[in-house]
Amino acid sequence: MSLPFDELVETFESSRGLPLPAQRGLVALVDDLAVGRKLKILDAGAGTGRLALPLLERGHDVVAVDLAPPMLAQLTGKLAASGPLIGVCRMVRADVVALPFAAHIFDAALVASVLYLVPDWRAVVAEVSRVLRPDGALLFVAERSESSPALERFDTRWRETIEATGYRHPSSSPDDAAVIAALDASATTCEVHELASWTAGQTVGQALDSYGARLRPLYATVPDDTWQVAVEDFTAWARTTFPDPATRFDFAVTVEVTVARGLTRG
């Protein structure tokens, strides 16, 4: 699956940020694993550093790996703006299925919002397992969301509208349950921890504001004229279906971390 990260970096930053309670939960979980030690942590598919930064502030060392230069550039800017950090961050541009590291050098590894981007997600898990110490921990971060009926109707109609043009959304494989089952099968211990849960959303008016422009990078293969017609048809439907622009589109989010120790490759 290929995404235009040079155009999506700002969207990623706004949609994938962790709220403060989730950041605190992650730091507390890593502190429990550390038992007073400074850990060397791999952030596989680090993006703009949403997971790395709170751990650096806590004093852990992080190696942030990403294949997209715009993501690493954003992280570089955030590190510069944050001032002195206790931990040390090293940024590496690399593919998560071929990590440029020796075996057994990391105490822990973060895997979040990356497995759906690669053709063989099991290869990522195997490669991350390779670079973990025998007693190291893989932390698989998963975000579950549940949409309100209004938002579900809105999203379903958009999917139907854009796919009527011939576009097909890529598969969102694997689902979290499949990953957790695979980790559980190959780990000595495997535990799921809930970091935080919250409700978010916006109004219909906010959702429709610049709707086409905000989504355009995700659908770069759709011809401009086809895209324009699809957006116009959809927004006309949305304004008729939800005539009150203050109607809420809310969703509930839960962030969980599966901690797998003693992983075997394969």
Side-chain angles (χ1 to χ4, degrees), residues 2-262:
S2 178
L3 293 175
F5 284 104
D6 53 340
E7 298 178 57
L8 284 174
V9 63
E10 296 299 335
T11 300
F12 184 94
E13 183 71 8
S14 62
S15 64
R16 292 293 186 177
L18 283 183
L20 191 56
Q23 292 182 27
R24 288 172 175 164
L26 176 64
V27 168
L29 180 58
V30 172
D31 279 351
D32 286 344
L33 295 173
V35 195
R37 299 176 296 134
K38 172 189 283 193
L39 297 185
K40 183 177 182 180
I41 301 172
L42 168 69
D43 190 352
T48 62
R50 64 184 183 131
L51 302 181
L53 282 168
L55 297 175
L56 289 164
E57 291 170 353
R58 189 65 174 174
H60 300 291
D61 293 339
V62 177
V63 177
V65 173
D66 206 284
L67 193 57
M71 294 293 181
L72 294 176
Q74 187 87 351
L75 173 54
T76 299
K78 291 167 73 171
L79 289 170
S82 67
L85 293 168
I86 302 174
V88 176
C89 183
R90 176 188 171 201
M91 286 175 283
V92 178
R93 183 172 183 258
D95 195 327
V96 290
V97 299
L99 295 169
F101 309 119
H104 312 313
I105 64 170
F106 291 100
D107 300 301
L110 301 169
V111 177
S113 301
V114 68
L115 296 183
Y116 72 98
L117 295 172
V118 297
D120 184 2
W121 63 268
R122 294 178 186 275
V124 178
V125 174
E127 182 68 346
V128 170
S129 301
R130 179 185 68 81
V131 300
L132 279 172
R133 302 187 198 280
D135 61 344
L138 187 153
L139 282 69
F140 172 61
V141 184
E143 298 177 30
R144 295 187 289 105
S145 63
E146 183 176 350
S147 300
S148 65
L151 178 56
E152 185 69 28
R153 187 179 182 189
F154 183 88
D155 287 343
T156 298
R157 180 59 178 238
W158 167 251
R159 189 181 188 94
E160 293 171 348
T161 299
I162 196 62
E163 292 200 346
T165 69
Y167 178 88
R168 291 295 178 266
H169 288 89
S171 170
S172 57
S173 175
D175 61 38
D176 295 338
V179 177
I180 294 170
L183 293 175
D184 188 48
S186 61
T188 303
T189 63
C190 190
E191 300 176 343
V192 180
H193 303 261
E194 181 176 315
L195 292 189
S197 59
W198 67 94
T199 299
Q202 59 186 338
T203 65
V204 171
Q206 291 169 329
L208 291 177
D209 183 35
S210 303
Y211 187 80
R214 286 186 286 109
L215 266 64
R216 188 61 172 127
L218 291 169
Y219 301 92
T221 59
V222 178
D224 288 340
D225 55 346
T226 302
W227 173 258
Q228 188 64 31
V229 171
V231 171
E232 289 175 356
D233 287 349
F234 173 73
T235 53
W237 169 86
R239 290 193 172 96
T240 300
T241 305
F242 305 101
D244 182 359
T247 299
R248 295 286 306 175
F249 286 160
D250 290 324
F251 56 94
V253 181
T254 300
V255 178
E256 294 179 339
V257 176
T258 300
V259 180
R261 285 180 172 273

